[in-house]
Amino acid sequence: MERAKTPRLVQAAAGLGLVTVLGGAKAGPDPFDAAHWRQVFARPDHAPMPDGNPTTPDKVALGAKLFDDPRLSGDGTVACSTCHQAELSFTDGVPRHGGLDGQPLDRRTPPLWNMAWGLSWFWDGRAASLEDQAAGPIENKREMAGDLAGAVRTLAADTETVRSFARAFPEDPAVTRSNLLKALAAFERTLVSPETRFDRWVKGDDEAIDSDEKAGLRLFVGKAGCVSCHTGWRFTDEAFHDVGLPGQDQGRGVVLGLKAADNAFKTPSLRERVWTAPYMHDGSLATFEDVVDHYAERVVERPTLSADLPRRIALSPKERAQLVAFLNTLSSEDPPRPASLPARTMVLGADVPAIAATTVGQKDRRFTPGAILLKVGQALKIVNDDTRTHNVRIDGPGLSVSSDAQNPGDAITIGFDQPGQFQAICGIHPDMRLAVTVEPMTKAAAQP
Amino acid sequence: MKRRKIWANLGTAVLMTTPAATQAGMLPAQPAGIEAPAGQGTIHLAQHQGHGKAVKAAPDGEGGEGGGEGGGGAQLPAGLHLARGIEMIRGHLIVGGELVEAGRWADALPHFLHPEEEIYGSLRDDLKAFGIGPFQTALKSLSQTVKAKNKEAYARARATVEERLAAAESAVLAKEENKSYFVLEAALETLQQAADEYEEAVEKGRIANVVEYQDARGFVFEIDRLVGTVADALAAKNADAAKAIRAGLDDLKATFPAVTPPQKPAKDASQFLASVAKFELQVGNFR
């Protein structure tokens, strides 16, 4: 385990494979610039872990056991692995898993590859950490119907489990809800998708993918515009988009209380997707071909459609097949097993050099500047000079702000009457982060 | 000692012998176990039983390019070779599906692994030549659902594979003028492979190799289905020969009363071969 120096925003983002997001996920230079895209899609050399829950072998081992432990469920028959089956790339192969009430759950069981790099979890991003996420299905009445307090009591009565917790948490050797969730999250952070043929191409092996697959890559980053959302080494921008699937599920809009984010769901990673059909948040598309056909000709037109969604893409059958061929290169040839990557503490957005400014832009899904200094009493103006709708949010300390739908051209003004450190994010594009430091007014400055 | 049959010409079979040790040395290597989630040890997923056949590893590490199921028929025209491969894959799925329905997931697994491991590799060039999209990963995904013993996921993955196979079959047939005769040719090639499998299965008056018995059963039942799709065309062309074809298939099916082999085989290998030869003789009537 290695603890890195607190990274600057851009460095952290590079580690998270988000360089292109911060730089603007455009359809890239034309003609095709292989060196550029190799940089965009390069794999990281370490897995991130939060400061408060370092990844240790004993903790991971405990998390793996708990992941398989049906005692976490209400009736003692359902484990996390009931839906997230290792043989099926930690998902379940069906559109929507059957709930305890006999009805299909609302959304597709997501595969668990590369969760460590997430910025939010669940299809609608309602969990702010992997530890928070772990509690969700356990306590959901239709999924595991568990009672974590009761599960903790049960586990605490099991001598071997108590020993496992003690090994995993030597600084706090107790069976607690917090430790249980930390162990599950630590295990999930080890589920890193392995290198594929595409990664060999990224490393410079031109022969690693064939001519059709290369043509598919060119379409992916060019005409088809897939890279607008599926970017970085995991092929996700971690943002929420309405991609025009039919259905009543309002997704991110409910979480944010924001109509503009209705029908929006988190961009899924494209890693190892060969093994995780069916696709989309509702599992409604059975094959890659169906997915490509959807984007080419079946998008439901509505006001909430993502600005990043390419419209009216004319793709020939051959081009569709090439896109599918490229997508296949992002998966292992054989059922994948987790890759081993060293863990490193990462704090996204920390220690960005702050500058005195009262106006911030949002072009290309990036707050610019990324960190500012204000004085108490000053107002911050955030201008949407982007082509997308944003939703600026600040949650504490002592301040709660939501801009509502901030359409292109809109500006919002936020006043700060207390000193402190604040972080603004976009609720729709959570990779957008703005550090705001509000300093007390000095006496000299306060004098008229 | 194991025997292998070489089809010398129409209706003639020559039984060859090869040292068992040599064959054992040519068996496909056991696939590596997949690493379980951390802390769970190793799960050995692919429980390949092997066919006791010479299977040469292809350069990409995939079996089936040599003497495995997919390796046979290499001299056939591309369309016929592809059709034969499709039918063999379907045969595997039929018998695998029966075992899944019986809850015998572990027994079913070889029948879902073999199409990808032993057959698909030999079809790759044919698929490209006919402009048919690859479906190797669909086959792999299907076998994963069997490993996971997940019936709902299995049903979906199976449906996807069936769609791919149907599309492939349509693409091949679309290029044939005499479709019913082509179907019979493909049927004959598949039945000859079934004869190989059955021969491997029977030893000293009993079914010694259950997987081979099941392979043969799957192939025969698939061919019964396939020939049924052109039954009307065959009857219109030569009613008597069509009846003989039908009777021949019924006779072959009777070799396999259930997916679990009988105590005493209904036919010995030479009787089975003779039934295939009768079928072959009738095929000539539809040229």
Side-chain angles (χ1 to χ4, degrees), chain B residues 180-233:
Chain B
S180 53
Y181 178 66
F182 179 79
V183 162
L184 290 180
E185 278 187 301
L188 176 59
E189 291 295 333
T190 310
L191 289 177
Q192 288 173 345
Q193 184 66 35
D196 279 356
E197 307 291 343
Y198 192 70
E199 183 197 327
E200 296 282 346
V202 180
E203 198 171 286
K204 296 178 182 170
R206 68 184 188 93
I207 303 295
N209 189 325
V210 174
V211 174
E212 305 288 359
Y213 166 90
Q214 290 168 342
D215 283 353
R217 173 185 168 87
F219 294 168
V220 167
F221 277 70
E222 165 55 17
I223 292 313
D224 183 59
R225 180 205 67 81
L226 177 69
V227 172
T229 64
V230 293
D232 291 346

Side-chain angles (χ1 to χ4, degrees), chain A residues 98-376:
Chain A
L100 293 175
D101 57 3
Q103 297 301 308
L105 297 174
D106 295 334
R107 295 172 190 156
R108 170 92 172 95
T109 302
L112 299 183
W113 294 115
N114 309 318
M115 289 289 109
W117 284 264
L119 299 177
S120 64
W121 288 265
F122 292 118
W123 281 103
D124 57 14
R126 65 186 182 276
S129 72
L130 205 43
E131 286 76 4
D132 285 350
Q133 183 279 330
I138 296 172
E139 296 185 321
N140 185 295
K141 295 297 177 201
R142 300 184 63 209
E143 297 184 37
M144 293 172 72
D147 163 23
L148 273 168
V152 163
R153 284 194 297 275
T154 301
L155 296 173
D158 176 348
T159 309
E160 181 50 40
T161 302
V162 170
R163 282 198 200 104
S164 296
F165 270 81
R167 283 192 297 271
F169 297 96
E171 74 290 352
D172 175 26
V175 181
T176 63
R177 173 191 172 102
S178 171
N179 284 347
L180 188 156
L181 298 178
K182 282 181 176 177
L184 281 170
F187 164 64
E188 291 184 57
R189 288 193 179 95
T190 66
L191 303 179
V192 179
S193 66
E195 286 193 7
T196 69
R197 283 194 296 122
F198 179 70
D199 296 307
R200 296 206 299 276
W201 178 86
V202 166
K203 286 179 172 177
D205 180 359
D206 283 329
E207 306 306 313
I209 60 177
D210 69 22
S211 57
D212 278 340
E213 291 159 349
K214 281 177 189 154
L217 169 58
R218 285 169 183 260
L219 289 164
F220 187 91
V221 301
K223 176 180 170 183
C226 314
V227 78
S228 296
C229 302
H230 293 287
T231 189
W233 82 275
R234 291 186 304 132
F235 292 83
T236 172
D237 60 1
E238 282 287 322
F240 299 86
H241 301 275
D242 174 4
V243 295
L245 282 167
Q248 302 303 312
D249 191 340
Q250 300 301 296
R252 185 66 170 169
V254 175
V255 174
L256 298 179
L258 187 68
K259 282 283 179 194
D262 277 355
N263 309 303
F265 295 88
K266 188 160 60 169
T267 306
S269 168
L270 299 182
R271 289 280 176 180
E272 301 298 348
R273 300 309 302 225
V274 155
W275 307 103
T276 64
Y279 305 111
M280 317 308 266
H281 71 274
D282 56 1
S284 60
L285 303 180
T287 64
F288 281 164
E289 287 83 356
D290 292 340
V291 174
V292 172
D293 289 348
H294 165 77
Y295 286 115
E297 60 198 36
R298 296 180 196 156
V299 169
V300 175
E301 289 290 337
R302 57 191 168 212
T304 51
L305 276 186
S306 171
D308 291 303
L309 186 68
R311 309 292 167 85
R312 292 177 290 278
I313 319 169
L315 292 172
S316 69
K318 184 178 181 184
E319 288 174 322
R320 294 181 197 206
Q322 289 170 332
L323 264 178
V324 169
F326 167 67
L327 293 175
N328 279 317
T329 71
L330 306 179
S331 294
S332 301
E333 305 286 301
D334 289 301
R337 53 182 180 178
S340 179
L341 269 189
R344 185 187 293 176
T345 303
M346 301 291 290
V347 183
L348 187 69
D351 200 27
V352 178
I355 60 174
T358 55
T359 301
V360 170
Q362 293 167 286
K363 193 174 182 185
D364 291 338
R365 298 200 299 197
R366 180 180 184 180
F367 286 116
T368 306
I372 59 166
L373 285 171
L374 292 176
K375 299 287 186 190
V376 168

